[in-house]
Amino acid sequence: MCGRYLIAEGGCSSELSRRQIRRKEGILGIDIRAERITDYSDIAGLNYDAFVRWHPAAFKAEPLLVDVLRHSPLFDPELSLVAEMDGRVVGHALFSPFDAIVLGARQRGVFLAPLCVAPAHQRQGIGSLLMDRGHEVARSKGYAFALLCGHPDYYPRFGYQQRMFSLSGCRVSLAPVRDSTPVYEERPVLATDLNWITALWREQHGHDSLALYPGDTLSQWFSHAPAWRSSVLSCAGQPVVYVRYKDADPVEVKELLVKEHADGEALAWLLGALGPGGGEVLLPQGPEMAAARLGRFAVSIADARQAHDAFMLKILDEHSPTLREYCAAVATGRLPAGVMSFPASFDIGG
């Protein structure tokens, strides 16, 4: 779904200063401001109108995605920006805050999605103004970097570096287990699971090169789309695995948290429970970690990391040695791009 969050929008060739932003707003007759509750309907309609021509599918995820992202406890209306012209909302950019791990260190960042401009006002620099103001506000609030998935010809002009992360890690072939001892049970994730799930996430991702922390509330761990499932696998009444996945071919896993005493048998059991079509699974981790986790149940493990041009990162805190080191190491090939899982909010995009 990442590729959707772009706009065919001409604009400035580099990031503008605060004075330049205000001057250009005045020339265009644009007011860039934080969203208000009274803007919600206009923002939903704008996102629909801007994206319906770009990907003319029957279902439009962008208006709903904005609503879902507002549910985050980290949501900041000052980072949901609208461009107003003559009393009408003609542009919108949503920068969603998140906590992250970069080279094993905690960082605070923002993710840009979606960005849109009304079709009649595109290629006038409005998208550029929204981005520049968003970066300015995010930097003033102490956010160290920004991420996005978008058009590789548009966003680098704002300082975004390409191929900075991957959304896939490895493709694993497992021998599905249909009759196993011990016996596993699959159930929905519950609020009572949050403590062990979040603790396990920190344990297993605390030393990652790049990882987004979903959050501490239930809405950040259950799936937001019918095609996706957030489940707990239990054994003898005790939860041992949290998994968020799409039952497809291959099965696509967005998050897999396994307690120390569990191994690949639980995931192999799940594949068996999904039916005879099970066997291959895409995991959001590198092949080395997958091999350690799945052990003897893995028939084969293939590297599936793909850091596309569209997967970009912008450093907002230029004094951060951690972010500079990460970007330099990935850009030069000294470090593989981090395998990143988007939170469950983004499942709504399919």
Side-chain angles (χ1 to χ4, degrees):
M1 68 175 296
C2 279
R4 296 178 177 181
Y5 304 120
L6 58 91
I7 185 70
E9 161 58 32
C12 60
S13 59
S14 62
E15 192 167 33
L16 299 175
S17 69
R18 182 178 301 183
R19 182 174 296 177
Q20 288 174 311
I21 294 173
R22 302 299 186 272
R23 182 172 180 271
K24 191 170 184 182
E25 288 176 21
I27 292 174
L28 293 175
I30 295 288
D31 178 23
I32 305 293
R33 59 169 176 79
E35 72 167 23
R36 305 171 185 138
I37 293 177
T38 53
D39 296 319
Y40 285 8
S41 180
D42 289 339
I43 290 172
L46 174 66
N47 272 277
Y48 175 86
D49 196 32
F51 286 101
V52 70
R53 294 169 176 81
W54 189 76
H55 57 96
F59 174 72
K60 297 295 174 292
E62 288 78 14
L64 293 177
L65 177 64
V66 173
D67 287 340
V68 171
L69 290 173
R70 288 191 185 110
H71 299 167
S72 169
L74 297 181
F75 172 74
D76 185 345
E78 293 182 357
L79 284 166
S80 182
L81 300 170
V82 299
E84 187 177 56
M85 175 185 289
D86 298 327
R88 294 178 54 247
V89 173
V90 296
H92 176 241
L94 177 57
F95 293 82
S96 295
F98 58 83
D99 292 324
I101 299 293
V102 181
L103 296 181
R106 295 183 62 180
Q107 301 283 338
R108 298 169 66 226
V110 293
F111 189 88
L112 172 58
L115 166 69
C116 65
V117 174
H121 296 280
Q122 291 177 7
R123 300 187 181 277
Q124 298 175 14
I126 296 173
S128 301
L129 288 174
L130 286 164
M131 291 193 66
D132 288 325
R133 177 70 72 84
H135 295 151
E136 173 193 319
V137 174
R139 188 181 291 111
S140 71
K141 289 175 176 285
Y143 293 103
F145 68 111
L147 294 174
L148 59 78
C149 300
H151 201 295
D153 294 332
Y154 181 68
Y155 293 101
R157 72 185 70 177
F158 301 98
Y160 282 89
Q161 301 182 57
Q162 298 176 332
R163 296 177 173 265
M164 284 291 111
F165 56 91
S166 173
L167 297 181
S168 57
C170 63
R171 180 184 289 260
V172 178
S173 178
L174 292 171
V177 175
R178 294 180 176 84
D179 298 309
S180 67
T181 301
V183 176
Y184 294 92
E185 294 183 354
E186 181 181 8
R187 63 165 173 80
V189 61
L190 305 174
T192 51
D193 294 309
L194 283 176
N195 286 342
W196 70 266
I197 287 176
T198 54
L200 199 54
W201 190 96
R202 293 185 177 95
E203 175 186 323
Q204 294 184 188
H205 290 286
H207 299 287
D208 284 3
S209 60
L210 181 64
L212 302 188
Y213 177 57
D216 296 321
T217 64
L218 183 61
S219 68
Q220 294 159 301
W221 291 93
F222 65 73
S223 295
H224 289 72
W228 290 87
R229 298 175 68 175
S230 293
S231 296
V232 167
L233 303 186
S234 62
C235 179
Q238 297 300 312
V240 294
V241 173
Y242 168 84
V243 59
R244 191 171 113 248
Y245 69 95
K246 179 193 286 186
D247 183 4
D249 186 18
V251 174
E252 185 177 352
V253 175
K254 285 295 186 184
E255 187 64 82
L256 178 66
L257 303 173
V258 184
K259 288 190 175 180
E260 185 176 353
H261 63 275
D263 59 18
E265 183 180 60
L267 185 56
W269 175 89
L270 177 63
L271 290 176
L274 293 175
E280 278 204 333
V281 58
L282 286 172
L283 294 177
Q285 55 196 234
E288 302 83 4
M289 184 179 294
R293 178 170 294 176
L294 302 178
R296 62 188 175 89
F297 293 94
V299 177
S300 64
I301 300 177
D303 196 331
R305 288 174 289 202
Q306 293 183 316
H308 295 293
D309 288 347
F311 301 162
M312 298 182 231
L313 183 153
K314 174 184 173 63
I315 298 176
L316 296 175
D317 179 6
E318 295 293 344
H319 300 293
S320 170
T322 301
L323 286 164
R324 291 204 309 271
E325 180 182 351
Y326 174 81
C327 291
V330 172
T332 58
R334 291 185 287 112
L335 179 72
V339 180
M340 194 176 70
S341 294
F342 284 103
S345 309
F346 288 86
D347 290 351
I348 201 164

